[in-house]
Amino acid sequence: MNTLWTFVVDHRIQLLTDSYLHLSAVIQSVLVATVVAVLIGIAVHRSPWGSALSTAAASIILTVPSFALLGLLIPILGLGVRPSVTALVLYALLPILRNTIVGLSSVDPAVSDAARGVGMNRLRVLLRIELPLAWPSILAGVRVSTQLSMGILAMAAYAKGPGLGNSIFSGLSRLGSPTAVPMALTGTVLIIVLALALDAVFVLVGRFTTPRGIRD
């Protein structure tokens, strides 16, 4: 424990920097994935075939191992942030897309019909009625994608990506040295802490953004 504490103290600036970069990359990737997945979900949720095909395509992406996907992206995008963020966006799509489709499909058609009956057009019904009612389901997908992305980004160190994966990989490559285990362990623990903290933030976001009438 003394060795671990000494390592943390001696490398606190680097660890803080890597933690910030890790959190920043995950948040940006999940935001992009949310926009893309929600737009696709809006476009296909009324079509059983469209919903099935889009969900299947996102599922196929999720089955590709992270090392393999990064290996495919490196020749196209090079090393660093671009392949890492691209991989995270692709992996984050499925939970958000699936939950968007489920949430929008669960909206009672009578509610939408009533809104149109009082003069709302299709866009206003979507923005004022359907998306707010589907929001808890969408947010649940965002939370799953965020936790998934936290772990996957650690693998992005393979592509010289940002974040705490660099500490883990560096520690594993130095097995046998005094700093190997503290380096790998610190990176792993910080990823877990960041994942739990970000999930707690999403819980608060859900509490303040979910319409009171459908809040649990």
Side-chain angles (χ1 to χ4, degrees), residues 135-203:
W135 173 239
S137 179
I138 296 172
L139 185 60
V142 172
R143 290 176 64 186
V144 172
S145 290
T146 301
Q147 301 303 303
L148 186 68
S149 299
M150 277 289 183
I152 291 175
L153 183 56
M155 299 295 103
Y158 167 72
K160 305 297 181 183
L164 293 161
N166 293 295
S167 295
I168 298 173
F169 271 66
S170 297
L172 294 176
S173 67
R174 299 178 186 178
L175 286 178
S177 69
T179 60
V181 173
M183 187 178 294
L185 183 59
T186 301
T188 303
V189 170
L190 284 174
I191 289 174
I192 295 172
V193 170
L194 289 176
L196 293 175
L198 195 53
D199 193 59
V201 170
F202 280 126
V203 171

Side-chain angles (χ1 to χ4, degrees), residues 11-27:
H11 296 82
R12 59 187 182 278
I13 302 301
Q14 185 61 51
L15 291 172
L16 286 172
T17 301
D18 286 343
S19 296
Y20 168 76
L21 293 174
H22 199 101
L23 193 62
S24 176
V26 168
I27 291 174

Side-chain angles (χ1 to χ4, degrees), residues 9 14 25-26 32 34 41-42 58 70 72-73 89 133-134 142 154-155 162-164 185 187 191 203 209 214:
V9 172
Q14 185 61 51
V26 168
V32 173
T34 300
I42 290 171
L70 288 168
L72 293 172
L73 292 174
V89 171
L133 290 175
V142 172
M155 299 295 103
L164 293 161
L185 183 59
I191 289 174
V203 171
T209 59
I214 60 174

Side-chain angles (χ1 to χ4, degrees), residues 31-51:
L31 285 176
V32 173
T34 300
V35 172
V36 173
V38 169
L39 289 176
I40 295 174
I42 290 171
V44 305
H45 78 278
R46 295 181 181 276
S47 167
W49 279 102
S51 299

